[in-house]
Amino acid sequence: MDSFNAAKKILPSIYKQLEDPKTVYCGCDLNIERNRFIVDLKSCGYAVRKQPKRAARVEVEHIMPAWEFGHQLKCWQQGGRKNCSKSSKEFKAMEGDLHNLFPSVGEVNGDRSNYRFQLWNGKPYQYGKCEMLVDFKGRRAQPPERSRGLIARAYLYMVSHYEGLTLARQQRQLFEAWNKMYPPSENECLRNELIKKRQGNDNPFVTEKCKSK
């Protein structure tokens, strides 16, 4: 993909080919109409935390946030994301990489921001039955079990595919553990194959796990 905007237009056509597509964190049912995502919040027991308008729409989430891969590039240091989107082919490839993009309830996407994923056994949950927890003060997010494996494989893919990207040791250890503990679903395997056809490369961390299923 040559841009994030291009990738956002393609992602719904990929999810349309999945069986029972859902949002990444909360597992809300997704419908695809006119190549747009429509979310059913009732299907996952979602409760709006603060932003009803944003909760009602689907946004495309970077699992590894644009800030995390972008701020490691010179273009970001010289003008932030806006400058990178204009001047860096490398950044645009990262920003539009379908292996790192997943549909999310808009409110959750906004709340997660660029916070790191961690586990601290926190409760209560902030979004009804959706077991996603965001610690705004601590700038961290605790994802539901259903999404931990794909989060891990997206992160491990990004740092292996793009030269120069790094992960803190604790983050890498966490994601390697999640990759082992939470194998991919049939939909994650199919998603990987469909992206390979469209983008030209697979996520080898998904491919490896899917072969052993």
Side-chain angles (χ1 to χ4, degrees), residues 117-168:
F117 291 113
Q118 294 182 13
L119 292 183
W120 67 92
N121 297 319
K123 286 184 181 180
Y125 300 121
Q126 298 145 305
Y127 311 99
K129 292 182 180 179
C130 174
E131 297 180 353
M132 177 74 164
L133 190 62
V134 178
D135 174 8
F136 298 98
K137 188 175 181 180
R139 297 183 61 83
R140 57 184 182 169
Q142 178 177 276
E145 287 193 29
R146 68 176 308 278
S147 61
R148 290 174 191 170
L150 63 84
I151 287 170
R153 287 181 280 277
Y155 261 96
L156 293 171
Y157 162 81
M158 290 295 286
V159 296
S160 67
H161 189 70
Y162 294 102
E163 187 177 349
L165 288 188
T166 60
L167 278 176

Side-chain angles (χ1 to χ4, degrees), residues 5-98:
N5 284 334
K8 286 193 291 186
K9 292 175 182 178
I10 290 167
L11 200 63
S13 65
I14 289 171
Y15 273 75
K16 197 169 187 177
Q17 299 176 70
L18 303 182
E19 184 177 343
D20 194 23
K22 297 182 183 294
T23 60
V24 60
Y25 303 123
C26 299
C28 305
D29 290 347
L30 284 171
N31 295 307
I32 292 91
E33 297 178 9
R34 296 181 180 179
N35 209 40
R36 290 179 63 246
F37 289 118
I38 308 295
V39 65
D40 180 358
L41 296 178
K42 291 182 180 179
S43 67
C44 60
Y46 188 91
V48 176
R49 183 187 69 83
K50 193 175 181 180
Q51 303 178 74
K53 288 186 178 179
R54 196 163 185 182
R57 68 175 184 248
V58 175
E59 295 177 1
V60 176
E61 163 86 308
H62 287 92
I63 295 296
M64 175 184 268
W67 176 87
E68 191 163 354
F69 56 75
H71 86 280
Q72 301 183 44
L73 303 176
K74 284 185 179 179
C75 61
W76 194 282
Q77 297 157 16
Q78 296 168 351
R81 183 171 182 171
K82 189 174 182 180
N83 182 50
C84 284
S85 296
K86 285 183 177 180
S87 63
S88 172
K89 288 184 179 180
E90 183 182 17
F91 177 81
K92 286 191 279 189
M94 294 179 186
E95 189 183 33
D97 195 312
L98 291 164

